[in-house]
């Protein structure tokens, strides 16, 4: 099947953009997988579920590598990770379950709105460290549950929401990114496993386990790491304003694509 050759290219592109913008590859993986699965005559609702589940599975692999690198440099706040962990797990499970209940059209609309809001946030965010202290155990539980739910529902890396949350609560940028990478591991792993379970009897597509499509998973993972290294190299040579405008433009295109079907 010709589409199979495209999956490594998606991995390369997702890794490249993740390296440039510091985002989870799901922002790219989900819309592209939906398109390719559509070419394969997969039903729209099922294509979106497979895209989200497969994206979570790929993020589980890439997050581990990223978190290890940050941990070696002392940029992972383990206290934050442990406080967030119960909520992240709870939210990730519920995010996949909610996504399975929603129709493909509703989920597409939510994705479109989410990406457009994220684009606006990127354009107005100055990335300054806030002055608020970290919430207590209950507050971290609520925050973890919310971030886990949204990340698993949309098949994105937790960093999209986690980094701004940590920065707002007095965590320096480097530690926010490192802690977010570590916190993204349980979201992706639990979300991917849940996607395999809830989709177990709902897909007739070959080479799948529930809502995880293995040919896409393997192809994407193969080149996502080299792509991330290349992206990081390019990012180091571009101005911050150019990066911000380019990323916001990408999010607007993706958001409109989902809203307009």
């Amino acid at each position: 099947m010709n589409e199979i050759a495209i999956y490594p290219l998606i991995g390369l592109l997702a890794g490249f953009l993740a390296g440039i913008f510091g985002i989870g590859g799901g922002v790219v993986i989900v819309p592209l997988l939906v398109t390719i699965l559509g070419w394969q005559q997969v039903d729209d609702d099922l294509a979106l579920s497979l895209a989200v589940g497969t994206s979570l599975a790929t993020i589980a692999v890439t997050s581990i590598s990223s978190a290890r690198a940050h941990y070696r440099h002392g940029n992972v706040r383990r206290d934050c990770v442990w406080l967030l962990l119960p909520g992240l797990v709870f939210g990730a499970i519920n995010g996949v379950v909610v996504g399975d209940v929603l129709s493909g059209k509703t989920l597409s609309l939510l994705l479109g709105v989410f990406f457009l809001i994220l684009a606006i946030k990127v354009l107005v965010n100055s990335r300054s460290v806030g002055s608020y202290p970290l919430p207590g155990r209950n507050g971290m539980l609520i925050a973890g549950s919310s971030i886990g739910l949204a990340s698993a529902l949309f098949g994105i890396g937790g960093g999209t929401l986690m980094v701004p949350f940590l920065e707002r609560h007095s965590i320096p940028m480097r530690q926010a990114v490192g802690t977010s990478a570590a916190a993204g591991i349980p979201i992706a792993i639990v979300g991917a496993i849940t996607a395999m379970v809830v989709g177990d009897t709902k897909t007739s597509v070959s080479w799948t386990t529930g809502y995880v499509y293995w040919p896409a998973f393997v192809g994407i993972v193969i080149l996502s790491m080299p792509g991330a290294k290349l992206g990081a190299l390019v990012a180091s040579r571009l101005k911050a304003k150019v990066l911000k405008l380019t990323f916001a433009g990408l999010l607007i295109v993706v958001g409109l694509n989902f809203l307009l079907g």
Side-chain angles (χ1 to χ4, degrees):
M1 186 177 295
N2 293 333
E3 288 84 355
I4 291 179
I6 300 177
Y7 298 135
L9 297 179
I10 294 177
L12 183 65
L13 178 61
F16 179 71
L17 294 176
I20 289 182
F21 302 122
I23 60 171
V27 172
V28 175
I29 293 171
V30 172
L32 289 180
L33 276 185
V34 168
T35 300
I36 294 171
L37 289 168
W39 294 348
Q40 297 175 235
Q41 306 301 313
V42 176
D43 176 76
D44 289 346
D45 287 7
L46 179 55
L48 189 50
S49 295
L50 286 171
V52 169
T54 304
S55 176
L56 289 170
T58 63
I59 292 170
V61 175
T62 55
S63 292
I64 292 174
S65 176
S66 176
R68 287 179 62 187
H70 284 293
Y71 186 80
R72 286 196 298 268
H73 289 90
N75 290 327
V76 176
R77 284 281 300 267
R78 287 178 292 178
D79 57 329
C80 292
V81 175
W82 284 115
L83 285 172
L84 289 164
L85 183 59
L88 295 174
V89 171
F90 178 78
I93 293 172
N94 283 280
V96 174
V97 172
V98 169
D100 188 49
V101 172
L102 296 176
S103 68
K105 183 176 181 180
T106 300
L107 187 53
S108 291
L109 290 174
L110 289 175
L111 275 163
V113 171
F114 175 79
F115 283 128
L116 291 178
I117 291 174
L118 190 57
I120 295 172
K121 184 178 181 303
V122 168
L123 290 173
V124 301
N125 185 17
S126 63
R127 284 197 176 278
S128 58
V129 178
S131 57
Y132 300 98
L134 282 171
R137 186 175 298 274
N138 289 338
M140 294 292 270
L141 177 65
I142 294 172
S145 298
S146 302
I147 293 170
L149 188 149
S151 298
L153 176 63
F154 299 134
I156 60 173
T160 305
L161 301 173
M162 181 73 72
V163 171
F165 167 76
L166 292 175
E167 280 194 292
R168 182 176 176 80
H169 291 89
S170 307
I171 304 297
M173 180 61 180
R174 290 182 185 274
Q175 290 187 0
V177 172
T179 303
S180 174
I185 296 173
I187 295 175
I189 291 177
V190 172
I193 292 173
T194 306
M196 293 180 199
V197 173
V198 300
D200 185 47
T201 61
K202 299 179 180 180
T203 173
S204 58
V205 179
S206 301
W207 301 102
T208 59
T209 302
Y211 290 139
V212 175
Y213 183 44
W214 294 113
F217 168 82
V218 173
I220 290 169
V221 167
I222 287 173
L223 289 184
S224 61
M225 287 302 176
K229 292 180 180 179
L230 179 60
L233 177 63
V234 172
S236 67
R237 302 182 180 183
L238 293 177
K239 294 181 179 179
K241 185 176 181 179
V242 174
L243 289 174
K244 178 181 287 190
L245 291 174
T246 304
F247 183 33
L250 170 66
L251 292 171
I252 290 171
V253 170
V254 172
L256 290 176
N257 179 63
F258 276 114
L259 283 177
L260 300 176

